[in-house]
Amino acid sequence: MVDLILDTNIWISHIAKDKPAGIFEIFKKQVNDGEVILLINDIIIDEWNRNKSKTIKNISNEIKETSKNALRIKTFLSEEGKEKINELLGEINSKENERIKLAENRINEIELMMANAIKTEVTDKMKVQVSNWALEKRAPFKQKSNSVGDALILLSTVIHRTKDGSNHYRPGFFVSFNHTDYAQENDSDEIHEDLQDLLDDANLLYKRHIGEVLNLTPELNVEIEMYIDNYVESYLEEQAEMRAEIRRGK
């Protein structure tokens, strides 16, 4: 049994999108069986709500893109190959709405898991503390100044796990793609030295790879590694652009 807090990017990119395929059901089962105790806070919930409609739209577009890719391939095939693609397209199109509905149901199940998770408190005192981190240019404010939410996610979890004056009795994991905020500059899998003592005090470990926390097959872990390698940089660029849009709108 472990405590697990997932950064919003993990909720969206792995769990909501079910990438690699099958991870959602495994995750849900381990939560339902009590192997994983979910922690959450208002920062993650607010970020999820801000991204929810876009996430659903992206999932729907990815499903529809399957048909478009098949059509592109079709132009390069022989007549026999085109007939096979037509059969495949018919099957894909017949299940498109079903797959979109399944994705929408998955979003609803995620929100139920969030509602049932243990909520860690975010206080004004914590906000003052992370403001001081920003002034000191310590992680997670090394590479950008607008990391207050990222800092509060972590600090809220740490304080929750140490509020009784000692380490929590079970191990805890914080999982995030966002190595530019949390990890060492030269090692994206290791927590930044500014945050090391904080996590040690709370018996909390930082991970980028959710497969290191969940009980997954070796094959699925390989798929996760490939997915992270191919996806994370584009995700971070997208987040930077989103923050820039928010600033321009102020």
Side-chain angles (χ1 to χ4, degrees):
M1 182 184 294
V2 299
D3 279 353
L4 178 61
I5 185 158
L6 302 178
D7 202 355
T8 317
N9 53 52
I10 303 296
W11 279 111
I12 292 171
S13 305
H14 278 314
I15 310 304
K17 293 186 176 182
D18 192 33
K19 289 190 175 181
I23 193 172
F24 172 75
E25 289 298 330
I26 295 171
F27 174 73
K28 182 174 73 171
K29 184 178 187 307
Q30 291 185 29
V31 170
N32 290 342
D33 289 349
E35 296 175 41
V36 169
I37 307 300
L38 286 177
L39 305 182
I40 202 163
N41 56 48
D42 284 335
I43 306 298
I44 295 170
I45 293 170
D46 289 346
E47 289 179 350
W48 167 265
N49 287 333
R50 283 201 304 271
N51 286 279
K52 178 181 173 181
S53 60
K54 183 178 180 181
T55 300
I56 295 171
K57 183 178 179 180
N58 286 345
I59 293 171
S60 178
N61 287 342
E62 286 178 14
I63 291 170
K64 293 175 181 178
E65 190 67 22
T66 305
S67 299
K68 294 178 183 177
N69 289 337
L71 284 171
R72 293 187 190 107
I73 294 171
K74 183 177 175 180
T75 61
F76 301 99
L77 298 176
S78 64
E79 289 304 316
E80 182 181 355
K82 288 178 181 178
E83 288 181 11
K84 291 181 179 179
I85 285 291
N86 285 337
E87 292 177 11
L88 179 61
L89 275 170
E91 185 178 348
I92 290 172
N93 290 334
S94 68
K95 293 183 177 180
E96 190 172 279
N97 290 335
E98 180 184 338
R99 291 174 65 200
I100 291 172
K101 184 63 178 176
L102 285 172
E104 291 172 346
N105 290 341
R106 191 162 62 241
I107 298 295
N108 292 334
E109 289 188 75
I110 286 169
E111 295 196 320
L112 181 60
M113 281 192 275
M114 288 181 168
N116 290 329
I118 295 171
K119 194 172 183 183
T120 69
E121 189 178 14
V122 177
T123 66
D124 289 340
K125 184 178 180 180
M126 293 178 198
K127 294 175 184 177
V128 171
Q129 186 170 346
V130 301
S131 296
N132 290 332
W133 290 0
L135 291 172
E136 295 164 3
K137 297 294 183 183
R138 61 174 290 177
F141 297 93
K142 289 289 187 182
Q143 298 192 37
K144 60 180 188 284
S145 59
N146 56 340
S147 296
V148 171
D150 301 315
L152 285 171
I153 288 171
L154 198 56
L155 184 59
S156 171
T157 307
V158 165
I159 300 240
H160 170 80
R161 287 177 59 82
T162 57
K163 62 186 176 183
D164 61 354
S166 62
N167 287 353
H168 204 287
Y169 66 89
R170 61 177 170 253
F173 295 89
F174 169 61
V175 185
S176 175
F177 284 151
N178 206 348
H179 61 87
T180 56
D181 279 350
Y182 300 112
Q184 295 179 17
E185 184 176 354
N186 298 320
D187 189 343
S188 57
D189 291 315
E190 292 294 329
I191 194 70
H192 196 281
E193 51 267 25
D194 288 352
L195 301 169
Q196 185 68 66
D197 288 346
L198 195 71
L199 267 65
D200 287 348
D201 289 344
N203 191 21
L204 188 67
L205 294 175
Y206 162 75
K207 299 291 182 182
R208 281 200 315 142
H209 193 311
I210 194 171
E212 295 183 48
V213 180
L214 302 180
N215 184 21
L216 304 178
T217 64
E219 293 79 10
L220 200 55
N221 276 326
V222 170
E223 289 186 55
I224 290 172
E225 193 68 48
M226 293 172 62
Y227 180 59
I228 290 174
D229 289 343
N230 293 328
Y231 179 81
V232 173
E233 291 307 320
S234 61
Y235 170 83
L236 292 175
E237 289 173 4
E238 180 183 319
Q239 292 298 298
E241 178 59 30
M242 183 179 71
R243 291 187 181 102
E245 288 178 4
I246 292 172
R247 288 196 297 271
R248 287 195 292 268
K250 287 184 176 181

